[in-house]
C-alpha cells in the first residue's frame, strides 16, 4: 500500500514515508552543518495556503517550486520567489534549450525522480535524484536572502534556511544551481 500516491491532503499528519523523507532531509542538513528551523502546520497544497499557515517572518522569501520537462527530455526544478513570474518560453531560452519548449512534468515523473508528490516539491527532494538528472534553477533573489522558506519533502511543515545555506545544500547534493533573475509580479 503506497500511501504517498493515495495521500489525502485532509489528513492531519504526514505518512510514514513522508516522515522518513523529512528525517533523511534534516539529517542531511545536520551533516552539512546547515542551520534551519521548522514550522509545523496543516497540509498546504499551494502558495496561498502556505502563506496562510505561516506566521509573518520578516525578510523571508517563500519559494514556489516547479518541476518541469524539456521537449527533448531534460528535467528541471525551478525554485523561485513565490511572487515571481516564471515564463517557460523565456526560461527555455535562458537555459539554451534548442527545442525552446518546456512544460510541467507529469506527476509520475516527479514521484519517480524526486520521490515527492505535487504540493510538496522542494529543493531538498534533489537528495532523491540519484542519477543527477535534474537541472536545478534557483531565483537569484534567494542568494543573499536571510531567510528562505520551503517544504521538507512533504507539505505539513516549512523549513527556514538562509539563501546562502540553501545554495550550499544544493552544492552538497551535486546540484549547483543555475541562478536566474525572475520578474517579481
Amino acid at each position: 500500500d503506497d500511501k504517498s500516491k493515495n495521500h489525502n491532503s485532509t489528513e492531519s499528519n504526514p505518512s510514514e514515508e513522508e516522515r522518513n523523507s523529512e528525517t533523511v532531509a534534516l539529517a542531511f542538513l545536520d551533516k552539512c552543518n546547515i542551520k534551519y528551523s521548522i514550522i509545523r502546520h496543516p497540509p498546504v497544497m499551494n502558495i496561498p495556503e502556505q502563506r496562510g499557515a505561516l506566521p509573518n517572518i520578516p525578510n523571508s522569501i517563500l519559494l514556489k517550486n516547479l518541476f518541469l520537462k524539456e521537449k527533448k527530455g531534460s528535467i528541471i526544478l525551478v525554485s523561485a520567489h513565490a511572487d515571481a513570474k516564471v515564463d517557460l518560453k523565456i526560461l527555455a531560452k535562458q537555459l539554451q534549450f534548442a527545442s525552446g519548449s518546456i512544460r510541467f512534468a507529469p506527476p509520475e515523473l516527479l514521484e519517480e525522480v524526486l520521490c515527492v508528490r505535487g504540493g510538496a516539491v522542494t529543493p531538498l527532494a534533489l537528495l532523491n535524484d540519484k542519477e543527477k538528472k535534474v537541472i536545478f534553477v534557483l531565483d537569484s533573489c534567494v542568494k543573499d536572502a536571510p531567510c528562505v522558506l520551503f517544504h521538507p519533502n512533504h507539505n505539513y511543515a516549512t523549513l527556514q534556511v538562509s539563501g546562502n545555506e540553501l545554495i550550499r545544500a544544493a552544492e552538497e547534493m551535486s546540484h549547483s544551481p543555475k541562478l536566474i533573475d525572475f520578474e517579481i509580479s
Side-chain angles (χ1 to χ4, degrees), residues 7-14 18 39-55 62-63 65 117-121 149-159:
H7 186 82
N8 180 345
S9 65
T10 61
E11 290 179 23
S12 59
N13 294 303
E18 289 167 325
I39 301 166
R40 304 278 176 198
H41 51 67
V44 295
M45 291 302 295
N46 54 47
I47 294 297
E49 287 181 13
Q50 191 171 11
R51 281 190 170 129
L54 294 173
L62 178 60
L63 292 183
N65 297 282
R117 59 187 174 79
V121 182
L149 305 166
F150 54 91
H151 293 307
N153 289 342
H154 61 72
N155 60 352
Y156 293 83
T158 299
L159 286 176

Side-chain angles (χ1 to χ4, degrees), residues 73-128:
S74 295
I75 302 169
I76 307 106
L77 172 62
V78 174
S79 293
H81 188 294
D83 296 323
K85 180 182 178 198
V86 180
D87 183 311
L88 299 184
K89 288 182 181 178
I90 293 172
L91 180 62
K93 288 178 185 171
Q94 290 171 310
L95 294 175
Q96 300 177 339
F97 287 138
S99 74
S101 177
I102 296 177
R103 63 186 187 282
F104 285 91
E108 303 80 32
L109 187 63
L110 172 62
E111 290 182 17
E112 174 190 327
V113 176
L114 295 184
C115 304
V116 295
R117 59 187 174 79
V121 182
T122 169
L124 284 180
L126 291 167
L127 279 168
N128 299 318

